[in-house]
Amino acid sequence: GDFRPHALANTAWAFAEASVKAPRLFDGIAAEVLTRLNEFSSQGLANLAWAFAKAGVGQPKLFDAIASTALHRLGDFTSPDLAILLRSFAIAGVSAPDLFEAVAATRLPQLRECNSHDLANTAWVFAKAGVKAPRLFDANSTEALPQLYNFSPQELASTAHVFAEAGVKAPRLLDAIATEALPRLSNFKAHNLAMTVSAFA
């Protein structure tokens, strides 16, 4: 095609961000991309996945191909691009266990450098995707504990909720979240309060 890889990714991204329904366009982009995935950078792959997930366009063959390509190029991904990629799969509801398990293994050492947002997002993505990654959740809990004072009400609620949803036993983390949340309850939005309560139910 005449479109370069970054132009294809940027076009899909623009239409998705604008919430413009263009199923034929997305079908055309998917068909073109499937023949040229090796030409895409890691950022391009992440942006493509995000655009199709945000647009709610069902393209399982495309997501499977992106997962397969990314799996062999994990070392090329920056942490932000990898986060976008995994979040896209979780939002799209596309199963990619091999990709998630490989990321879980490589992500463990990186958790020491994560801030509150990254830690909360990592836990949410793996729980949303339904991927069992006990070592990742244990490491996430260990890194989150001394940082909870930096967590926003939404991040506290999300972390408690996803650990409970994933069936991960983390009593120390939940106790610490309860302690941290209690004096800040007036800052919690209604849905965050509901998420927090459900985690302790």
Side-chain angles (χ1 to χ4, degrees), residues 165-177:
E165 190 177 68
V168 178
K169 303 297 183 184
R172 283 187 62 219
L173 178 63
L174 290 180
D175 286 349
I177 287 175

Side-chain angles (χ1 to χ4, degrees), residues 156-171:
L156 289 172
S158 175
T159 300
H161 179 72
V162 298
F163 268 77
E165 190 177 68
V168 178
K169 303 297 183 184

